[in-house]
Amino acid sequence: MEETLLHSVVTSPSCQSGGCKGSSKARIAIGKLRFSSSEVNYECFRPSHFQVKCSRAQSFTSRQMHTEQLWRQFFSDPSQWWDHRSDKANARYPDFKHKKTQEALWIDGWFSPEWVKAELSAMAPGKTQRSVFYWTTELTRQVKDGQDMKALKLFQDMQNEGVNPDKYIFVPVLKACARLMALEEGRYVHGQIIQQKCQSDVFVSSCLIDMYAKCRSIEDVNRVFNGMFTCDVVVWSSMISAYAICDKGEKALELYKQMKQENVVPNHVTILGVLKACTSIDALEEGRFVHAEVIRRGLDSNVSIANCLMDMYAKCGSIEDACSVFNVIQTPDVISWSAMILGYANCGMGKKGLVLFQQMQREKVEPNSASFVGTLKACSSIVALEEGRHVHGQAVLKSQDTNVLVASCLINLYAKSGSIEDACQVFSVMPSPNSVSWSAMVVGYVSCGQGLKALQLFRQMLLEGIEMDKVTFVNILNACASVRALEDGRHVHTQAVRSGLDSDICVGNCLIDMYAKCGSIEDACRVFANMPTHNLVSWSSMILGFANCGQGVKALELFQLMLQDGMEPNIVTYVGVLKACTDIAALKEGRHIHAQVIKRGFESEVIVTSCLVDMYARCGNIEDAYRVFNNSLIHDMALYNSMIGGYAVHGLGKGAFEIFERMSHTNLEMDDATFVGLLSAFSHAGMIDEALYYLESMSPIYDGVATVEHHSCLVDLLGRSGYLDEAKDMINKMPCSTDTFVWTAFLSACRKYNNLQVGEWAAKHVLNLDPTNSAAYVLLSNIYATVGKFSNSEDLQQMWGSTGIDVNK
C-alpha cells in the first residue's frame, strides 16, 4: 500500500512538471510516509535540479507557442479583440482581450514574439477595437473640457469601429448635443438609445429631455416623457426644467402641481426648475409660495436654491425680498454676491450694486466673470464711466477682461457713456468675439449716432461668417433705421429670411419700423401681413409708420382694427394715433383719442401730453393746446417745444415768447427745435428785432449753434417784411452752407414783392441745388407774369413741361 502511494505521488503530472504547487503536494505526501514507516528514506524521492529545470523549460516553450498562436489569431481578425492600451488601470492589465474567450495578450509580455511590435506598427490604424469603457472615458473627458464637437466626433469614430454603445456613454454624448444645440445629432443619438434598449433608464431619459429642451424642441420633450412607463423625481425635475428653458413657465408650474398630486416628493433640483419657471413668467406670487415650501422642507439652507430665489425676486421686481434672502445666507458664495449685484443693476439701483461689489471684496470673496458682468451693468445703469474704468482694471488683473460676456458689458458701458473709442479698443483685443460681442458693438455705434459704422460692422460679420441671432438682427435693423439705409435694410431682411428668423416677432417688428422710417411703407405693410402673429408692438409700429409717412387715415383705420382684435393700446400706440390725427387735422377723432388717454391714465405721460398739444395746435385749437400744456404736472423740453411750435403755427409770436421765457427759468436745456419754433413764431408775427436778438444770442447765452434752419427762419422773416437786400446779405454771410429751403423761402419773398432781378438770382441757386424743384419754376414763372414778361413765363413753362417736372407736387 505504501509503495503504491509513493508510486502514485512520484509519477503524478504535478510532481513531474516540477511546478511549485505539485512539488509541495508531493513533499506533504512523502512526509506522511516518513512518520508511518521509519525505515523509508524520502530523500531519494526529491526531484533533482536537472529534472526541475527540464520541466520548466518545457512549460516555457509551451506557453510561448500558445502566446504566439494567440497573436496570430489576433492579427488575422483584430476586430474580435478589445483594445485596452489607452484605458489600462495599471501596467499588469492586458493590452488586448478576446471578446468571447477572454484570452489576454501583453505587448511586452515574456512570451510575446519579437515580431509583434513591428506588426502592430505596420497595421493600419483603426483595425484594433477599443472597449466601450475607453470611449466613455474619452468622451466624458472631452465634454468636461468643453470640447463638445470633438466628443461627437469620438462617438462617430466609436461606431465606425463597430463598438456598441451602452447607457453610460449616452449621458456625455447627450450633454454635448445639448450644449451645441445640435438637434439632428441629438435625434440620431436618441435612435441609438432605442436600438440599444436604454430608453427606460432614468438618467438617459432625463438627459434626453434636457437635450431636447435646450434645442427648443418641446414636442420631442413631450414625446420622451409620454413614452416613459415610470417617472421618478429625476424625470419630473427634468421635465419642469425643460418647460422653464423653453419659456413655458405656466406649463412647468402645472407639471409641478401634477407631480405633487402624484405624491412625488420634490428635491432641490425640482425646486430650482420651478423657481426658474417663475422667473421666466414674472410669477412673483407663485415664487413666494415655492419659497414657503422651501422653508417648510428645510431646503432654505441650500445655497443654490437661495441664489435662485434671489434671482427670481430680483427679476420679478421685488429687490427687497432678494435682499432678505441674501441676508439670511450664512456663508454666501461668489454666485450669491454676483446674483445680488446683478439684481441691483437690473432694478436700476446701480449705486447699491457697486457698494455690494466693494463689500464682496472686503469679505475676501474672489469675483468671477458673473460678478464683473453684474458690476459693469450696474455702472452702465447709472452711466458711471470712471467707476467702470476701475472695474475694468480689476477685470484685467483677474484675467477676466477677455471673457466674452465681460468684454461685451465693457463695450456696452463705454458706448453708453459716449466713449466709443474705448469700446472699439475692448472689441479689438478680444481673442474670439461671438455674436453677443458683435451685437454689443453694433448697439454702441447706433447709440452714439454712428449707424454707418454699425452697417460696416455688419458687413464684416458676414465676411467672417459670424452666426447671427435675433438680437443681432434687431440691432442691425435699428442701425439701418437710424441712417435711413433702405437697401442695406433689405439686405439684412434677406439674411434674416435665410436664417429662418424673419418669422420671429421681434425681428418682424424691427423690420416694420425700419421700412417705415426709410419711407417704404409698402414693404412695412408686406412684413406686417406675412407675420404669423401680431403683438402690441407690431400694431403700434405699423400705426406709427403710417402716421410718419403722411397716411393718417390708414393709421386710424388700423387703430380700429387693433381694438377689434382685443389689443389694449399703450403709450406708443397713442403717440402714433395722435400724430395721425395731427397729419389730417382730425380734431374730432383727436378729442376722442384724448378721452381714451384720460380713461387709461396716460395723460400724465409727458410724451403723450406733447402729442396732444401738437395735435390741438395744428388742428386750429390753440386754446385747448394751452389748456393741456398748463394742466400737465411735468414739463420737459419736448412739451415746451410743442407749445412754442403751436404758437408759431398760429403766428402768435408773443405767446411763443412767453412760453420760451417760462422755459428759460427752469433747469431744462434748450435744443435746436426750441429756437426753430421761437424764430418761426417771430417770423410769422413779423417780430424782426426779437428774431435777430435771439439768433445772435444762441451761442453766447444759450450755448446753442445756429444751423441752416435757424437762418432760414430769419431769411423768411426779412423777406416777408420786404427787407430783400438784408435777407440776401444774410444768405451771403451765413456760417453754414445753404440748402434749397433757404433759397426757396427767399424766392417766395421775391415773388411777394415782384423783385425780378433778385428772384432770378435766387431761382438760379435753387435749381443748381435741385434741378427738379418745381416750386422754383412756379415762383419764377409767376414773377415773370406779374412784371409783364409773359414770353419768359411761357418759355419757363415749356422748359419744365419738357423735363417732365410735376409742378402740382
Side-chain angles (χ1 to χ4, degrees):
M1 179 179 177
E2 291 173 355
E3 291 179 2
T4 304
L5 178 60
L6 285 172
H7 178 74
S8 64
V9 170
V10 174
T11 58
S12 68
S14 59
C15 183
Q16 289 181 355
S17 66
C20 295
K21 196 172 180 181
S23 300
S24 61
K25 283 183 178 180
R27 291 192 187 100
I28 292 169
I30 294 170
K32 288 179 179 178
L33 287 176
R34 179 184 178 188
F35 288 107
S36 62
S37 179
S38 58
E39 64 271 13
V40 178
N41 184 6
Y42 70 91
E43 291 294 336
C44 65
F45 298 104
R46 184 186 297 277
S48 67
H49 178 70
F50 176 76
Q51 287 175 319
V52 171
K53 191 174 182 180
C54 289
S55 298
R56 288 179 177 173
Q58 290 174 0
S59 176
F60 184 87
T61 304
S62 174
R63 291 183 65 180
Q64 191 175 32
M65 291 176 62
H66 179 67
T67 304
E68 186 169 354
Q69 186 180 3
L70 288 176
W71 276 114
R72 295 191 184 281
Q73 288 179 14
F74 167 80
F75 284 112
S76 65
D77 188 6
S79 65
Q80 297 300 314
W81 295 74
W82 293 116
D83 186 352
H84 292 292
R85 286 176 293 178
S86 300
D87 56 8
K88 290 171 65 168
N90 55 61
R92 290 181 294 177
Y93 200 80
D95 294 304
F96 303 100
K97 202 169 187 179
H98 199 276
K99 293 180 179 179
K100 293 182 180 179
T101 65
Q102 302 299 308
E103 292 276 10
L105 287 172
W106 288 263
I107 297 173
D108 294 319
W110 286 355
F111 306 107
S112 294
E114 294 180 358
W115 51 266
V116 168
K117 290 184 179 179
E119 286 289 328
L120 282 172
S121 61
M123 189 169 63
K127 267 196 144 185
T128 57
Q129 194 173 55
R130 290 162 284 195
S131 68
V132 71
F133 175 77
Y134 161 77
W135 293 104
T136 305
T137 305
E138 282 296 302
L139 264 165
T140 304
R141 184 173 62 82
Q142 294 290 354
V143 172
K144 187 177 180 181
D145 293 342
Q147 302 293 325
D148 300 314
M149 288 298 296
K150 288 185 178 179
L152 294 184
K153 179 67 169 56
L154 276 175
F155 184 70
Q156 185 180 0
D157 293 342
M158 182 195 80
Q159 292 192 301
N160 291 339
E161 287 195 10
V163 179
N164 289 326
D166 60 9
K167 65 180 182 180
Y168 301 105
I169 202 169
F170 287 127
V171 173
V173 174
L174 289 171
K175 284 183 179 178
C177 293
R179 286 209 293 244
L180 292 170
M181 295 183 71
L183 181 59
E184 292 307 314
E185 290 81 355
R187 283 175 175 158
Y188 173 77
V189 176
H190 190 178
Q192 295 292 306
I193 289 169
I194 295 171
Q195 189 175 338
Q196 298 299 323
K197 299 179 179 179
C198 296
Q199 67 269 30
S200 59
D201 185 85
V202 171
F203 290 103
V204 173
S205 297
S206 299
C207 287
L208 268 173
I209 290 170
D210 180 68
M211 182 273 296
Y212 280 131
K214 287 177 179 172
C215 293
R216 297 295 190 274
S217 180
I218 198 67
E219 297 82 6
D220 287 313
V221 169
N222 290 327
R223 197 174 296 116
V224 173
F225 183 69
N226 294 332
M228 298 190 69
F229 297 106
T230 57
C231 298
D232 63 359
V233 66
V234 176
V235 178
W236 283 101
S237 301
S238 299
M239 276 302 295
I240 291 168
S241 298
Y243 278 125
I245 291 169
C246 295
D247 299 324
K248 303 281 185 183
E250 295 89 351
K251 291 286 293 180
L253 295 180
E254 287 176 14
L255 208 64
Y256 179 58
K257 292 176 183 176
Q258 184 182 343
M259 169 186 166
K260 291 199 295 183
Q261 287 170 2
E262 296 194 13
N263 296 322
V264 179
V265 179
N267 59 14
H268 74 283
V269 179
T270 320
I271 299 297
L272 291 174
V274 176
L275 288 172
K276 287 177 182 177
C278 294
T279 305
S280 68
I281 58 173
D282 291 333
L284 180 59
E285 291 308 314
E286 288 81 353
R288 284 179 173 146
F289 177 78
V290 176
H291 190 182
E293 188 162 354
V294 165
I295 296 171
R296 188 167 62 252
R297 294 188 180 278
L299 295 172
D300 51 324
S301 59
N302 186 299
V303 179
S304 299
I305 290 177
N307 294 340
C308 207
L309 278 167
M310 281 191 294
D311 183 61
M312 182 272 296
Y313 280 129
K315 288 180 178 176
C316 289
S318 181
I319 196 67
E320 297 81 9
D321 286 322
C323 290
S324 300
V325 174
F326 180 76
N327 291 332
V328 297
I329 301 176
Q330 292 183 352
T331 311
D333 59 9
V334 65
I335 300 174
S336 313
W337 289 95
S338 304
M340 200 63 233
I341 293 169
L342 188 60
Y344 277 131
N346 291 334
C347 290
M349 302 170 72
K351 287 185 178 179
K352 287 192 175 182
L354 292 177
V355 170
L356 202 64
F357 181 68
Q358 295 168 355
Q359 184 183 342
M360 168 186 165
Q361 292 178 304
R362 287 195 297 271
E363 296 283 341
K364 308 298 182 183
V365 178
E366 283 290 319
N368 61 6
S369 59
S371 313
F372 284 112
V373 166
T375 309
L376 289 169
K377 283 189 175 182
C379 294
S380 297
S381 68
I382 56 174
V383 198
L385 180 59
E386 290 308 314
E387 291 82 352
R389 292 188 195 279
H390 179 67
V391 176
H392 187 180
Q394 289 183 292
V396 172
L397 291 175
K398 303 290 183 183
S399 301
Q400 293 286 351
D401 58 315
T402 55
N403 180 281
V404 174
L405 292 177
V406 174
S408 299
C409 287
L410 280 167
I411 292 169
N412 182 55
L413 165 69
Y414 287 131
K416 196 172 182 180
S417 304
S419 182
I420 194 67
E421 297 79 12
D422 287 323
C424 291
Q425 179 64 26
V426 172
F427 183 76
S428 64
V429 299
M430 289 181 69
S432 53
N434 63 1
S435 60
V436 176
S437 316
W438 287 88
S439 296
M441 202 63 226
V442 169
V443 173
Y445 278 129
V446 173
S447 63
C448 290
Q450 300 185 30
L452 291 175
K453 286 192 175 181
L455 292 178
Q456 290 175 4
L457 208 64
F458 170 68
R459 297 185 191 104
Q460 190 178 343
M461 288 176 71
L462 292 177
L463 290 174
E464 296 194 15
I466 303 296
E467 187 176 349
M468 289 177 279
D469 55 12
K470 72 175 184 179
V471 177
T472 313
F473 280 112
V474 164
N475 292 323
I476 293 293
L477 288 168
N478 287 337
C480 294
S482 69
V483 294
R484 308 296 187 263
L486 179 59
E487 290 307 315
D488 287 299
R490 284 178 173 148
H491 183 55
V492 176
H493 189 178
T494 303
Q495 293 296 323
V497 172
R498 289 176 181 172
S499 302
L501 289 169
D502 58 316
S503 59
D504 182 88
I505 198 161
C506 293
V507 176
N509 293 339
C510 284
L511 281 167
I512 293 171
D513 181 66
M514 181 273 296
Y515 280 128
K517 285 180 179 175
C518 292
S520 181
I521 196 66
E522 297 81 8
D523 285 321
C525 290
R526 198 173 296 114
V527 172
F528 182 80
N530 292 331
M531 288 176 70
T533 57
H534 302 108
N535 61 6
L536 184 57
V537 178
S538 315
W539 289 98
S540 300
S541 299
M542 201 65 232
I543 291 168
L544 194 59
F546 275 129
N548 289 333
C549 289
Q551 298 189 30
V553 174
K554 287 188 176 181
L556 293 178
E557 289 174 355
L558 198 66
F559 178 65
Q560 293 302 321
L561 288 174
M562 187 194 90
L563 294 177
Q564 291 170 16
D565 202 43
M567 287 286 176
E568 290 288 329
N570 64 2
I571 296 171
V572 179
T573 317
Y574 282 120
V575 167
V577 176
L578 288 169
K579 283 188 176 182
C581 294
T582 304
D583 178 60
I584 60 175
L587 181 59
K588 182 179 178 181
E589 289 78 1
R591 291 188 190 280
H592 179 66
I593 299 300
H594 190 180
Q596 288 190 34
V597 166
I598 296 171
K599 183 180 178 181
R600 297 185 188 277
F602 291 143
E603 196 178 20
S604 59
E605 297 292 338
V606 184
I607 186 170
V608 176
T609 306
S610 300
C611 289
L612 282 167
V613 168
D614 194 49
M615 184 271 295
Y616 279 123
R618 294 182 185 275
C619 287
N621 195 328
I622 195 66
E623 295 81 10
D624 281 341
Y626 181 74
R627 191 177 299 111
V628 171
F629 171 81
N630 208 38
N631 290 338
S632 178
L633 298 175
I634 303 172
H635 293 76
D636 66 352
M637 182 177 64
L639 183 56
Y640 274 107
N641 289 349
S642 294
M643 196 64 239
I644 292 171
Y647 277 124
V649 170
H650 288 261
L652 300 172
K654 290 184 178 180
F657 178 70
E658 287 175 5
I659 300 297
F660 179 82
E661 282 291 298
R662 186 169 160 183
M663 182 181 181
S664 64
H665 289 95
T666 66
N667 293 324
L668 296 172
E669 292 184 4
M670 300 176 184
D671 64 354
D672 291 345
T674 311
F675 286 97
V676 167
L678 181 65
L679 293 173
S680 179
F682 288 154
S683 174
H684 286 89
M687 300 168 67
I688 298 175
D689 294 336
E690 290 84 351
L692 286 169
Y693 171 77
Y694 280 101
L695 182 68
E696 294 173 357
S697 302
M698 277 184 67
S699 180
I701 299 177
Y702 298 103
D703 296 326
V705 178
T707 65
V708 67
E709 286 185 272
H710 301 123
H711 285 91
S712 297
C713 292
L714 200 57
V715 168
D716 182 56
L717 171 57
L718 292 170
R720 283 170 184 268
S721 303
Y723 297 101
L724 296 180
D725 292 334
E726 288 80 357
K728 181 180 177 181
D729 195 42
M730 172 164 280
I731 291 173
N732 290 327
K733 292 179 180 179
M734 279 176 63
C736 48
S737 59
T738 57
D739 60 8
T740 56
F741 294 104
V742 176
W743 289 109
T744 304
F746 184 58
L747 181 58
S748 180
C750 295
R751 161 70 183 85
K752 181 178 180 181
Y753 292 98
N754 298 319
N755 191 324
L756 178 61
Q757 183 181 0
V758 180
E760 286 179 329
W761 177 72
K764 181 181 177 181
H765 281 88
V766 174
L767 294 174
N768 281 338
L769 291 170
D770 182 11
T772 63
N773 192 300
S774 58
Y777 286 102
V778 173
L779 290 169
L780 185 58
S781 175
N782 289 338
I783 296 174
Y784 281 136
T786 303
V787 299
K789 293 192 174 185
F790 297 104
S791 59
N792 295 64
S793 177
E794 290 173 0
D795 292 342
L796 197 63
Q797 290 176 27
Q798 289 177 1
M799 184 187 302
W800 81 54
S802 62
T803 55
I805 299 171
D806 185 4
V807 295
N808 295 316
K809 282 187 177 179

